[in-house]
Amino acid sequence: GENVEQHPSTLSVQEGDSAVIKCTYSDSASNYFPWYKQELGKRPQLIIDIRSNVGEKKDQRIAVTLNKTAKHFSLHITETQPEDSAVYFCAASDENTGNQFYFGTGTSLTVIP
Amino acid sequence: GAVVSQHPSRVICKSGTSVKIECRSLDFQATTMFWYRQFPKKSLMLMATSNEGSKATYEQGVEKDKFLINHASLTLSTLTVTSAHPEDSSFYICSARGGASGTTDTQYFGPGTRLTVL
């Protein structure tokens, strides 16, 4: 089965700096990679996703890059703000076989004002 | 669009009783729903995949007789924790696959249910 690893587990950045979270996956059949943001006690919220037919996707201050050959994908947050502080989860799935998500272990991001 | 509700948000019960948690997709039809368990500061652990009109598929190590899942319609799935024990205390989150406007591939999460078993 799929195995998703996520690093780092904790990350602290100064407000305005960039934050990068990296994930690797093991199953080459995975073709869909969403990122979720979860605030304490709240539901995970989809913030961006990417499919295997593209290498990069951007939405304002958030971007995701995908390297299929190396089987890794990364979340980039620029100009970080205190409200970006949360736990971020990456996931990988194969849309052709039921879309079960395999989640990474999470990254706790703290943006220091 | 793509809103998922979950009820109740919090429940406290006595050991040995059963608790039912409902997960609803409010503005789309969800052919597949997922049930997760999340421990504090941990990732989401998939418990089972629920398909409308068929039996749920449970992950290894999850007792299907203890965690009963019913997906009776395209907008409702229920998880019943039977004969609850304190070790069942956790945050249970459902998600639904699907969405409006042809967005059928991602999962949208409910707000979660905090279960405490005394």
Side-chain angles (χ1 to χ4, degrees):
Chain A
E2 176 64 280
N3 180 45
V4 178
E5 296 189 354
Q6 184 172 345
H7 299 280
S9 57
T10 60
L11 178 61
S12 292
V13 299
Q14 291 288 335
E15 182 177 0
D17 287 350
S18 296
V20 180
I21 302 170
K22 298 180 179 181
C23 287
T24 61
Y25 62 99
S26 60
D27 190 349
S28 57
S30 292
N31 50 26
Y32 176 65
F33 308 92
W35 284 89
Y36 287 86
K37 174 183 179 183
Q38 187 179 27
E39 298 177 0
L40 190 63
K42 301 287 182 64
R43 78 184 80 194
Q45 296 270 21
L46 179 71
I47 56 172
I48 197 167
D49 56 11
I50 192 168
R51 288 180 170 81
S52 57
N53 57 344
V54 299
E56 183 174 359
K57 185 176 178 180
K58 190 174 181 180
D59 182 4
Q60 299 184 338
R61 296 187 297 108
I62 296 173
V64 57
T65 58
L66 170 66
N67 183 325
K68 287 188 295 182
T69 303
K71 297 196 189 72
H72 66 71
F73 55 112
S74 300
L75 177 71
H76 304 254
I77 306 174
T78 59
E79 300 173 29
T80 54
Q81 301 167 1
E83 50 265 39
D84 294 330
S85 297
V87 179
Y88 291 81
F89 292 99
C90 65
S93 78
D94 177 1
E95 293 182 322
N96 298 319
T97 59
N99 204 40
Q100 174 182 332
F101 283 13
Y102 296 89
F103 282 92
T105 49
T107 296
S108 178
L109 173 65
T110 302
V111 180
I112 304 166
Chain B
V3 178
V4 177
S5 71
Q6 199 171 329
H7 179 82
S9 57
R10 291 178 181 271
V11 58
I12 300 172
C13 69
K14 292 183 178 180
S15 186
T17 61
S18 295
V19 174
K20 179 185 282 189
I21 303 170
E22 292 187 348
C23 178
R24 293 180 185 272
S25 56
L26 298 185
D27 54 358
F28 66 101
Q29 293 184 331
T31 53
T32 305
M33 288 185 172
F34 303 86
W35 286 95
Y36 294 87
R37 185 173 179 177
Q38 188 175 31
F39 293 100
K41 298 185 179 181
K42 296 295 183 182
S43 188
L44 297 141
M45 183 188 79
L46 180 65
M47 298 175 66
T49 302
S50 169
N51 292 297
E52 186 265 337
S54 62
K55 291 183 178 180
T57 302
Y58 289 81
E59 294 300 299
Q60 191 173 9
V62 178
E63 299 176 59
K64 61 180 181 180
D65 294 330
K66 180 170 183 61
F67 298 100
L68 300 178
I69 292 172
N70 183 276
H71 194 158
S73 76
L74 286 171
T75 59
L76 173 64
S77 177
T78 60
L79 167 68
T80 301
V81 183
T82 62
S83 187
H85 288 110
E87 55 265 32
D88 297 327
S89 299
S90 190
F91 193 53
Y92 293 88
I93 310 180
C94 70
S95 72
R97 175 188 178 191
S101 305
T103 305
T104 59
D105 302 317
T106 199
Q107 291 183 29
Y108 298 93
F109 284 86
T113 297
R114 175 75 58 192
L115 170 63
T116 302
V117 184
L118 303 176

